[in-house]
Amino acid sequence: MCVFITQIAPGPGKGPLLAVKDLIDVVGTPTTAGSRAVADDAVAATKDALCIAGARYLGARINGKANLVELGHGGSGVNDYFGTPVNPLDPARLPGGSSSGSAVAVATEAADVAYGSDSGGSIRIPSAFCGTAGLKTTFGRIPLEGVRPLAPSLDTVGPMARDVGGLVLGMSLLEPGFSLDGDAAVVVGRLRIPGVDVDPAIDAAVDQALILAEVETVGIPIPSWGDAYWASSIILDWEAAQTNRQLTTDASLKAKLGPLVAARLDAGGRVPETHVTMALSLQKRWVTHLDQLLDRVQLLATPAVAFFPPLCDAAPGSAFSALTKPVNLAGLPALCLPIPTDRL
């Protein structure tokens, strides 16, 4: 099923099985970033990424480096070099990305918990497509030393699991001593995103879940969402081009990149400096705006993806991250939960 790029024999004991996205260093195994351009010269990591420390301390058994979209740069889940993980809900459909292997690993019980990374939706999109749970953590909460960067201003690492209980376990591995605290939300802001055409069945499922949760729901229009999406896209694409510059300036390495990722990096390298400056300025205003919204409600609710998983041959052109990237721009945490619909 192309879930793991590198299989690891789990050690003895009864600790949870942990899959680790192959952007994260695990001692003794190479970090490939899902890319031939990286994998061909990759050597075994000499130490774990810092975010692995808690898992080691608590006895988690790492059983594989999970597959991903090349360099973690894309929402489809497709990996042309290592193979695309198979969506467990429908093999004909995309698994979502970039943390595709992590989502499939927990969905198929190949792992109890998986680590994913999320710079623009890369935990939430595959969780939504595979019917699992995922948590994009607050920016800066989980240390990123030993994690290959994509967009350092937006990158986060978080847990993925079959349900919320698994996410709590995953957070305890990432952050020993983690516990749930605080009161349950009473008032939830239901976001309606202008310009994003959400499948009516998905919107209805979210609304029904809020009704069943017996929370007060307040409809909140958010006209600046499109601006925040533009700014987050500019920052992500520009930073991805900078962090992967070696792969695009060395002709022999660039020839090994998949065409879609190579095109994204080229486009990111052409982003005007004035656009980056504008995006960073907008980011400050966006953070303030969401802080003000969260003074009125305890949570903001929206679908993670506007549509059901596309067929595998329909990957290019889909706006996978239209409902996720602005959250990264704000640095806020985001929880993706599976909600049943009448279609998947």
Side-chain angles (χ1 to χ4, degrees):
M1 295 179 68
C2 304
V3 175
F4 295 122
I5 290 175
T6 303
Q7 294 245 213
I8 301 171
K14 297 183 179 180
L17 288 174
L18 174 64
V20 177
K21 185 176 182 177
D22 203 9
L23 290 176
I24 302 170
D25 286 349
V26 172
V27 65
T29 65
T31 298
T32 73
S35 173
R36 180 187 172 197
V38 177
D40 281 355
D41 296 317
V43 298
T46 58
K47 61 181 180 179
D48 288 330
L50 197 54
C51 63
I52 299 290
R56 297 288 193 192
Y57 176 74
L58 294 173
R61 296 173 296 145
I62 298 173
N63 66 338
K65 301 292 294 293
N67 200 353
L68 64 153
V69 174
E70 186 173 13
L71 305 177
H73 200 7
S76 68
V78 170
N79 187 304
D80 291 326
Y81 180 60
F82 286 104
T84 300
V86 177
N87 188 320
L89 297 179
D90 184 345
R93 297 185 179 272
L94 294 170
S98 67
S99 305
S100 49
S102 295
V104 175
V106 295
T108 59
E109 302 187 16
D112 300 307
V113 176
Y115 286 177
S117 69
D118 192 312
S119 307
S122 287
I123 285 175
R124 291 160 286 164
I125 296 166
S127 295
F129 280 8
C130 294
T132 55
L135 176 63
K136 175 226 168 304
T137 53
T138 303
F139 179 75
R141 178 163 185 162
I142 304 301
L144 297 181
E145 180 183 332
V147 180
R148 183 183 175 92
L150 178 66
S153 296
L154 306 172
D155 293 347
T156 59
V157 165
M160 303 172 72
R162 287 181 288 282
D163 51 31
V164 172
L167 295 182
V168 173
L169 173 60
M171 279 302 300
S172 73
L173 299 180
L174 284 165
E175 187 178 274
F178 172 83
S179 63
L180 295 177
D181 54 36
D183 298 325
V186 177
V187 183
V188 175
R190 177 67 164 93
L191 297 182
R192 304 293 178 179
I193 311 301
V196 178
D197 186 17
V198 179
D199 188 297
I202 294 175
D203 253 346
V206 173
D207 291 337
Q208 180 64 19
L210 292 172
I211 291 170
L212 294 175
E214 298 182 343
V215 294
E216 179 185 350
T217 304
V218 179
I220 296 182
I222 190 161
S224 54
W225 188 273
D227 292 337
Y229 178 77
W230 174 84
S232 56
S233 297
I234 288 293
I235 294 169
L236 194 157
D237 290 348
W238 184 80
E239 290 191 353
Q242 308 313 307
T243 58
N244 291 287
R245 183 171 296 279
Q246 180 185 1
L247 300 182
T248 56
T249 55
D250 183 319
S252 63
L253 292 176
K254 187 173 183 179
K256 297 178 182 181
L257 292 172
L260 284 177
V261 169
R264 289 189 187 111
L265 294 178
D266 283 342
R270 294 192 298 271
V271 171
E273 186 175 341
T274 53
H275 285 191
V276 178
T277 301
M278 290 170 57
L280 293 172
S281 177
L282 193 150
Q283 182 180 30
K284 295 177 182 178
R285 299 195 300 273
W286 178 243
V287 169
T288 299
H289 180 54
L290 289 192
D291 283 346
Q292 292 171 344
L293 287 182
L294 290 169
D295 285 337
R296 296 167 49 194
V297 299
Q298 287 86 50
L299 292 174
L300 299 171
T302 180
V305 189
F307 44 84
F308 290 95
L311 295 171
C312 290
D313 59 3
S318 297
F320 295 99
S321 58
L323 298 175
T324 54
K325 272 184 182 176
V327 181
N328 294 79
L329 188 70
L332 294 173
L335 175 66
C336 180
L337 296 176
I339 299 174
T341 71
D342 57 3
R343 286 176 55 185
L344 280 178

